[in-house]
Amino acid sequence: MRYPLEKAFEAAARQGYDGVEVWGGRPHAYGPDVDERRAEEIRGYAEKYNLEIPMFCAELLSYPYNIASTDAKERKETTEYLKQSLDAAARIGAPGMLITVGHAGYGTNRKDNFRNIVGVMKELAEHAQKREVDIVVEPLTVQESNTIVFLDDVLELFDAVGSDRVKSMLDTVMPMTNWETYTEYFEKLGVGRKLAYIHLEDSSGVDQYHKPIGTGILDFDEIFALIRKYGYDGWISLELISSYIREPEMASGMEIRKVRRFMNGC
């Protein structure tokens, strides 16, 4: 985020990545900013560097947008923002838009929070259908949210919204931190059905912090064994956040070199 977006495409192409997950925040691709002119620029980066754009990541982890807000005005503004973000995803040619559902606040109750979330998601799902873009819901850790955290929260959301356009993903930090199993993500979401994406990074096992591969407790030989076992052949994104911001280009090079060892046989 401290470099222009084209820098990400240039570095990714040179280092051997297949695509770039585009961040939906300024200065890269904030949804309301992505008019046809800006979208043409971003599509041009993909064409110039021979890369795909597998995902548009709408910025939702910071103020002022929150799907789970108890304030009706904030939810309405969030809905409109995410519709604009779906428009942006469609314009740049991304097949999916990644979202998170934030913390509804202390002193709230799950029944009301879930009803508020479903109301937003149903409206978004209708717009996603029109734009032919999937909404990919990323569960968070218990440190980050009290709404859509566990895998069963996601499955309950699927049932309540009832749209084929709403899917989910595996972030390798979440099962470890939330005391869930990786196997259940593959089996309950289903490869080729609702499991639409993977974020790959290491974990301390105790918090939401995303660590460089090889610096935490995860066994990536076994994670890739599960990927092979269940036949997942979708996108795997190396989510370079937190500790990577000091030297992002160097970090992206180091991460792909590490992961190539695990990719053998996938």
Side-chain angles (χ1 to χ4, degrees):
M1 64 179 65
R2 295 179 181 177
Y3 277 120
L5 179 56
E6 185 175 2
K7 178 70 169 178
F9 279 86
E10 183 276 325
R14 178 169 40 80
Q15 293 167 350
Y17 286 86
D18 298 308
V20 171
E21 176 182 319
V22 172
W23 175 55
R26 289 173 175 157
H28 285 189
Y30 178 58
D33 293 345
V34 183
D35 55 15
E36 187 51 47
R37 181 195 61 80
R38 179 57 175 158
E40 185 177 2
E41 289 178 349
I42 296 171
R43 294 195 306 270
Y45 301 152
E47 182 177 357
K48 177 180 178 180
Y49 296 105
N50 194 29
L51 294 169
E52 296 186 50
I53 304 174
M55 191 66 66
F56 178 84
C57 183
E59 179 55 72
L60 275 172
L61 287 177
S62 58
Y63 179 87
Y65 301 117
N66 184 359
I67 292 172
S69 173
T70 59
D71 182 81
K73 183 175 185 290
E74 185 176 353
R75 292 198 307 277
K76 181 179 179 180
E77 291 178 354
T78 300
T79 303
E80 291 307 309
Y81 158 68
L82 288 174
K83 285 182 179 179
Q84 291 176 299
S85 297
L86 282 166
D87 294 341
R91 288 186 184 122
I92 67 174
M97 180 181 78
L98 187 63
I99 65 169
T100 55
V101 184
H103 204 292
Y106 298 129
T108 62
N109 71 77
R110 188 181 187 279
K111 182 178 180 181
D112 291 342
N113 293 341
F114 192 75
R115 182 180 64 246
N116 290 337
I117 293 165
V118 170
V120 173
M121 289 299 301
K122 283 187 173 181
E123 191 169 345
L124 291 177
E126 290 180 6
H127 196 72
Q129 186 63 43
K130 295 175 186 175
R131 299 302 268 159
E132 298 183 341
V133 174
D134 289 336
I135 300 172
V136 181
V137 180
E138 178 178 5
L140 295 174
T141 63
V142 293
Q143 289 91 349
E144 299 166 294
S145 180
N146 63 348
T147 55
I148 306 300
V149 173
F150 299 106
L151 181 56
D152 281 348
D153 296 335
V154 175
L155 299 175
E156 186 178 359
L157 186 64
F158 291 158
D159 290 341
V161 176
S163 171
D164 290 339
R165 283 292 176 186
V166 179
K167 298 180 180 179
S168 191
M169 62 166 294
L170 166 65
D171 182 299
T172 52
V173 168
M174 309 312 170
M176 180 61 64
T177 305
N178 292 341
W179 284 76
E180 297 186 288
T181 72
Y182 292 88
T183 297
E184 283 200 325
Y185 270 78
F186 288 97
E187 293 183 349
K188 288 187 175 182
L189 291 176
V191 172
R193 293 189 292 113
K194 291 291 192 178
L195 181 62
Y197 207 55
I198 291 177
H199 272 167
L200 196 74
E201 62 280 318
D202 217 331
S203 170
S204 68
V206 296
D207 57 31
Q208 78 276 19
Y209 188 64
H210 288 50
K211 297 173 68 66
I213 292 170
T215 64
I217 65 172
L218 296 187
D219 187 326
F220 286 93
D221 285 312
E222 292 304 320
I223 288 174
F224 274 93
L226 285 176
I227 289 171
R228 289 190 289 271
K229 173 184 175 182
Y230 288 100
Y232 177 81
D233 64 353
W235 282 91
I236 296 174
S237 173
L238 303 181
E239 192 176 25
L240 306 178
I241 60 175
S242 304
S243 62
Y244 303 93
I245 198 167
R246 179 174 177 267
E247 182 45 76
E249 187 173 3
M250 184 180 294
S252 61
M254 290 189 298
E255 290 299 273
I256 196 168
R257 285 197 300 273
K258 293 175 186 176
V259 84
R260 282 190 181 114
R261 179 173 70 84
F262 303 105
M263 290 294 291
N264 291 333
C266 286

